[in-house]
Amino acid sequence: MTASVYAPPPDCVGSAAQAAVQQLQPGQACLLENLRFHSGEAASEPAFAQQLAALGDVYVSDAFGVAHREQASVTGVLQHMAACYPGLLMQSELRYLHSTCHTPERPFGVVIGGAKVRDKIGVLQALVSSADVLLIGGRMAFTFLAAEGVACGRTQIEEDWLEACRVMRESAAARGVKLLLPRDIVVARSLDDDCGCCTVPLTVSCCTPEAPCVPNGCYGLDIGPETAAAFTEAIQGCKTVFWNGPMGRFEVPGFAAGTHAVARAMGQATAAGSTTIVGGGDSVSATNEMQPPPAISYISTGGGASLQLIQGQLLPGIRALAQAVAAAAAAATAAS
C-alpha cells in the first residue's frame, strides 16, 4: 500500500486555495502556502485580507509572535469573519505576560540584552516605572557604559542614544530602581572567533581614550564572570523575573558564558519558587541549547510582541481580536 503525500496548493489565496478548502472532509485541515510571499500581507491591504477571509468562517488567533504587527492576516482579516476567537497559546501568553508582568509578585526583576538600545529603549523606559531590579547586558549595555564615560574599544556605540541612556539611569536612580550594568566584560579582536579572548574590568576612572579598559582594536562580546555573578545574585533575589535578549554574542562558544549564566540563574530562581519568563527570540534559543535546559515558568513565543506587551502597549492583533469579539457579541444581542 502506497501512502499518499499531501501536496499543498501553490498559493494561500486564489482558485487553487479555494478548491483545496472546499474539498476538505470533516476532521481534515488544509495547509496553505506562506502568505508572506504576498506584499499585501505586510501592507495589510484590504483586498488581500478579504481573499484570506473568503477561505473560512471562523478565525482563531493563535500567532502571538506576530500580534504586534498591523498585517492582513493579523488584523485585517478579522473584520470579514463570522466569528473570531483567541487560541490556547494566545490565551496563555496573555495570562502570563500581561498578568504576571503588570501585577508581579515583588521584587520584580527584568533582564534585558541584545544589540540595539533603539529597539528596546521604549520597554526600558516603561520598566523603570514598574521594575525593582533592571539588569542590562548585550551590546546595548555598551551604549549605556559609553554614556557614563567608559571607552568601549571597537564595540559599536549608538551615539544618538547616549543622552537617552543618561536620562534613563537618572530616572531609575530617582525611583529607587536597582540598575546593574556590566562590571567586567569578555573582549576579543574578532566578532566570530574567540581565540585570544580575555576578561577585563570596567571602571569609569580607568576607561579613558588614553587608557581604555577595552584594548584598542577589540570588541566587547560578553559579560564577564563578576558581572554574571552579580546578575545571578540579583535574579535569585527576585520573586518575578522577565528576560529578553542575550548577554553577548552567544552563538560563538567563547562568548556564551554570560548568557548561559543568566539562563542558569533563571532556572535556580524557578526552583526556589519564583515566577520566571523568557520573552522569546535569542533568549529562548540560548536557553534551549543548554543541556539540560534550565526550568523556566513560561517561555514566550514572541520576542517583539512580548516586549511591547510588558511595556503596556495594546498589540494590534489583540486590539483587532477584542474589537471583533465585541462586535459579534453586540450583533448577537441585537438579533435576540
Side-chain angles (χ1 to χ4, degrees), residues 40-335:
E41 165 65 1
S44 194
E45 293 178 358
F48 183 63
Q50 289 177 331
Q51 285 183 291
L52 293 174
L55 299 173
D57 302 305
V58 178
Y59 179 92
V60 178
S61 177
D62 216 23
F64 176 76
V66 295
H68 61 306
R69 296 173 178 165
E70 192 83 47
Q71 296 183 342
S73 68
V74 179
T75 58
V77 69
L78 279 76
Q79 60 187 299
H80 304 293
M81 305 301 295
C84 300
Y85 302 95
L88 297 177
L89 174 64
M90 182 70 77
Q91 294 178 47
S92 178
E93 294 276 9
L94 294 176
R95 181 171 62 252
Y96 266 93
L97 290 174
H98 188 272
S99 300
T100 303
C101 292
H102 287 272
T103 56
E105 184 177 2
R106 295 186 180 277
F108 175 32
V110 179
V111 187
I112 297 291
K116 299 175 182 178
V117 171
R118 69 170 178 267
D119 290 344
K120 298 182 178 179
I121 191 67
V123 71
L124 288 170
Q125 291 170 334
L127 289 170
V128 164
S129 300
S130 60
D132 301 298
V133 179
L134 187 55
L135 315 178
I136 301 177
R139 197 181 77 197
M140 62 185 297
F142 289 93
T143 298
F144 279 87
L145 291 166
E148 300 299 308
V150 175
C152 299
R154 294 179 67 188
T155 311
Q156 185 177 349
I157 303 300
E158 295 171 89
E159 300 287 346
D160 294 343
W161 292 96
L162 292 174
E163 183 57 28
C165 291
R166 294 188 192 100
V167 171
M168 207 203 82
R169 290 205 67 180
E170 292 170 359
S171 178
R175 292 177 177 273
V177 177
K178 183 178 182 181
L179 192 156
L180 299 184
L181 291 170
R183 303 175 182 177
D184 60 339
I185 59 169
V186 176
V187 301
R189 293 188 176 278
S190 171
L191 294 172
D192 302 308
D193 186 354
D194 56 16
C195 181
C197 65
C198 63
T199 301
V200 298
L202 293 179
T203 60
V204 174
S205 60
C206 79
C207 286
T208 63
E210 295 75 25
C213 295
V214 180
N216 290 327
C218 288
Y219 301 92
L221 296 166
D222 192 15
I223 59 173
E226 183 180 344
T227 302
F231 281 17
T232 295
E233 181 180 2
I235 290 169
Q236 293 176 342
C238 294
K239 297 301 293 181
T240 307
V241 192
F242 174 85
W243 173 31
N244 177 279
M247 298 294 99
R249 195 171 174 81
F250 75 97
E251 301 89 346
V252 180
F255 311 138
T259 300
H260 290 169
V262 167
R264 280 192 296 272
M266 294 284 283
Q268 292 161 358
T270 308
S274 298
T275 299
T276 56
I277 300 173
V278 177
D282 288 336
S283 306
V284 175
S285 301
T287 299
N288 289 338
E289 74 180 15
M290 299 176 66
Q291 295 298 325
I296 304 295
S297 303
Y298 189 74
I299 296 180
S300 174
T301 59
S306 66
L307 286 176
Q308 289 190 23
L309 191 65
I310 69 166
Q311 65 179 292
Q313 293 186 17
L314 181 59
L315 307 184
I318 307 302
R319 182 190 66 244
L321 180 61
Q323 290 172 343
V325 171
T333 300

